mmCIF file of all heavy atoms in Angstrom:
data_model
loop_
_atom_site.group_PDB
_atom_site.id
_atom_site.type_symbol
_atom_site.label_atom_id
_atom_site.label_comp_id
_atom_site.label_asym_id
_atom_site.label_seq_id
_atom_site.Cartn_x
_atom_site.Cartn_y
_atom_site.Cartn_z
ATOM 1 N N VAL A 619 28.543 -18.148 -21.222
ATOM 2 C CA VAL A 619 27.223 -18.764 -21.244
ATOM 3 C C VAL A 619 27.195 -19.695 -22.456
ATOM 4 O O VAL A 619 27.418 -19.251 -23.585
ATOM 5 C CB VAL A 619 26.112 -17.709 -21.345
ATOM 6 C CG1 VAL A 619 24.761 -18.389 -21.517
ATOM 7 C CG2 VAL A 619 26.103 -16.824 -20.112
ATOM 8 N N GLU A 620 26.915 -20.975 -22.237
ATOM 9 C CA GLU A 620 27.026 -21.981 -23.289
ATOM 10 C C GLU A 620 25.657 -22.312 -23.878
ATOM 11 O O GLU A 620 24.686 -22.510 -23.143
ATOM 12 C CB GLU A 620 27.685 -23.237 -22.735
ATOM 13 C CG GLU A 620 29.109 -22.984 -22.232
ATOM 14 C CD GLU A 620 29.737 -24.214 -21.594
ATOM 15 O OE1 GLU A 620 28.992 -25.187 -21.344
ATOM 16 O OE2 GLU A 620 30.952 -24.206 -21.354
ATOM 17 N N ILE A 621 25.604 -22.368 -25.228
ATOM 18 C CA ILE A 621 24.359 -22.667 -25.937
ATOM 19 C C ILE A 621 24.539 -23.986 -26.679
ATOM 20 O O ILE A 621 25.563 -24.215 -27.338
ATOM 21 C CB ILE A 621 23.996 -21.541 -26.930
ATOM 22 C CG1 ILE A 621 23.848 -20.203 -26.188
ATOM 23 C CG2 ILE A 621 22.730 -21.877 -27.686
ATOM 24 C CD1 ILE A 621 25.034 -19.307 -26.316
ATOM 25 N N SER A 622 23.512 -24.841 -26.557
ATOM 26 C CA SER A 622 23.534 -26.133 -27.244
ATOM 27 C C SER A 622 22.233 -26.315 -28.008
ATOM 28 O O SER A 622 21.158 -25.980 -27.503
ATOM 29 C CB SER A 622 23.708 -27.285 -26.240
ATOM 30 O OG SER A 622 24.905 -27.141 -25.504
ATOM 31 N N LEU A 623 22.342 -26.842 -29.233
ATOM 32 C CA LEU A 623 21.184 -27.186 -30.054
ATOM 33 C C LEU A 623 21.221 -28.694 -30.263
ATOM 34 O O LEU A 623 22.141 -29.221 -30.895
ATOM 35 C CB LEU A 623 21.234 -26.441 -31.390
ATOM 36 C CG LEU A 623 20.145 -26.802 -32.404
ATOM 37 C CD1 LEU A 623 18.750 -26.533 -31.826
ATOM 38 C CD2 LEU A 623 20.333 -26.037 -33.707
ATOM 39 N N LEU A 624 20.207 -29.382 -29.714
ATOM 40 C CA LEU A 624 20.201 -30.837 -29.722
ATOM 41 C C LEU A 624 18.944 -31.357 -30.398
ATOM 42 O O LEU A 624 17.925 -30.668 -30.466
ATOM 43 C CB LEU A 624 20.274 -31.375 -28.280
ATOM 44 C CG LEU A 624 21.376 -30.784 -27.376
ATOM 45 C CD1 LEU A 624 21.173 -31.232 -25.950
ATOM 46 C CD2 LEU A 624 22.742 -31.193 -27.884
ATOM 47 N N ARG A 625 19.015 -32.588 -30.855
ATOM 48 C CA ARG A 625 17.844 -33.272 -31.409
ATOM 49 C C ARG A 625 17.623 -34.528 -30.578
ATOM 50 O O ARG A 625 18.508 -35.361 -30.437
ATOM 51 C CB ARG A 625 18.077 -33.624 -32.876
ATOM 52 C CG ARG A 625 16.965 -34.473 -33.491
ATOM 53 C CD ARG A 625 17.268 -34.808 -34.939
ATOM 54 N NE ARG A 625 17.025 -33.694 -35.821
ATOM 55 C CZ ARG A 625 17.437 -33.643 -37.094
ATOM 56 N NH1 ARG A 625 18.143 -34.640 -37.590
ATOM 57 N NH2 ARG A 625 17.166 -32.587 -37.838
ATOM 58 N N GLN A 626 16.425 -34.636 -29.989
ATOM 59 C CA GLN A 626 16.093 -35.775 -29.134
ATOM 60 C C GLN A 626 14.772 -36.371 -29.598
ATOM 61 O O GLN A 626 13.720 -35.763 -29.406
ATOM 62 C CB GLN A 626 16.000 -35.340 -27.667
ATOM 63 C CG GLN A 626 17.318 -34.821 -27.095
ATOM 64 C CD GLN A 626 17.208 -34.449 -25.629
ATOM 65 O OE1 GLN A 626 16.125 -34.380 -25.086
ATOM 66 N NE2 GLN A 626 18.345 -34.214 -24.990
ATOM 67 N N ALA A 627 14.866 -37.555 -30.211
ATOM 68 C CA ALA A 627 13.671 -38.229 -30.754
ATOM 69 C C ALA A 627 12.963 -37.285 -31.719
ATOM 70 O O ALA A 627 13.536 -36.843 -32.704
ATOM 71 C CB ALA A 627 12.766 -38.694 -29.625
ATOM 72 N N SER A 628 11.718 -36.927 -31.411
ATOM 73 C CA SER A 628 10.945 -36.053 -32.297
ATOM 74 C C SER A 628 10.938 -34.609 -31.819
ATOM 75 O O SER A 628 10.093 -33.819 -32.230
ATOM 76 C CB SER A 628 9.500 -36.565 -32.382
ATOM 77 O OG SER A 628 8.905 -36.556 -31.092
ATOM 78 N N LEU A 629 11.894 -34.256 -30.956
ATOM 79 C CA LEU A 629 11.921 -32.913 -30.383
ATOM 80 C C LEU A 629 13.252 -32.223 -30.686
ATOM 81 O O LEU A 629 14.299 -32.861 -30.803
ATOM 82 C CB LEU A 629 11.724 -32.965 -28.861
ATOM 83 C CG LEU A 629 10.386 -33.486 -28.352
ATOM 84 C CD1 LEU A 629 10.412 -33.590 -26.832
ATOM 85 C CD2 LEU A 629 9.236 -32.584 -28.802
ATOM 86 N N VAL A 630 13.179 -30.893 -30.793
ATOM 87 C CA VAL A 630 14.364 -30.050 -30.873
ATOM 88 C C VAL A 630 14.537 -29.405 -29.510
ATOM 89 O O VAL A 630 13.589 -28.830 -28.962
ATOM 90 C CB VAL A 630 14.210 -28.964 -31.956
ATOM 91 C CG1 VAL A 630 15.405 -28.019 -31.920
ATOM 92 C CG2 VAL A 630 14.076 -29.607 -33.322
ATOM 93 N N ARG A 631 15.741 -29.506 -28.943
ATOM 94 C CA ARG A 631 15.994 -28.990 -27.595
ATOM 95 C C ARG A 631 17.114 -27.947 -27.653
ATOM 96 O O ARG A 631 18.185 -28.217 -28.209
ATOM 97 C CB ARG A 631 16.383 -30.125 -26.655
ATOM 98 C CG ARG A 631 16.637 -29.707 -25.199
ATOM 99 C CD ARG A 631 17.102 -30.914 -24.410
ATOM 100 N NE ARG A 631 17.444 -30.612 -23.031
ATOM 101 C CZ ARG A 631 16.687 -30.902 -21.978
ATOM 102 N NH1 ARG A 631 15.524 -31.503 -22.166
ATOM 103 N NH2 ARG A 631 17.075 -30.612 -20.748
ATOM 104 N N VAL A 632 16.833 -26.766 -27.092
ATOM 105 C CA VAL A 632 17.817 -25.684 -26.995
ATOM 106 C C VAL A 632 18.146 -25.493 -25.519
ATOM 107 O O VAL A 632 17.237 -25.298 -24.701
ATOM 108 C CB VAL A 632 17.288 -24.369 -27.606
ATOM 109 C CG1 VAL A 632 18.294 -23.248 -27.392
ATOM 110 C CG2 VAL A 632 16.998 -24.553 -29.086
#
Side-chain angles (χ1 to χ4, degrees):
V619 174
E620 298 176 348
I621 301 101
S622 301
L623 175 59
L624 310 171
R625 174 181 283 167
Q626 297 182 349
S628 60
L629 296 175
V630 174
R631 182 184 177 104
V632 176

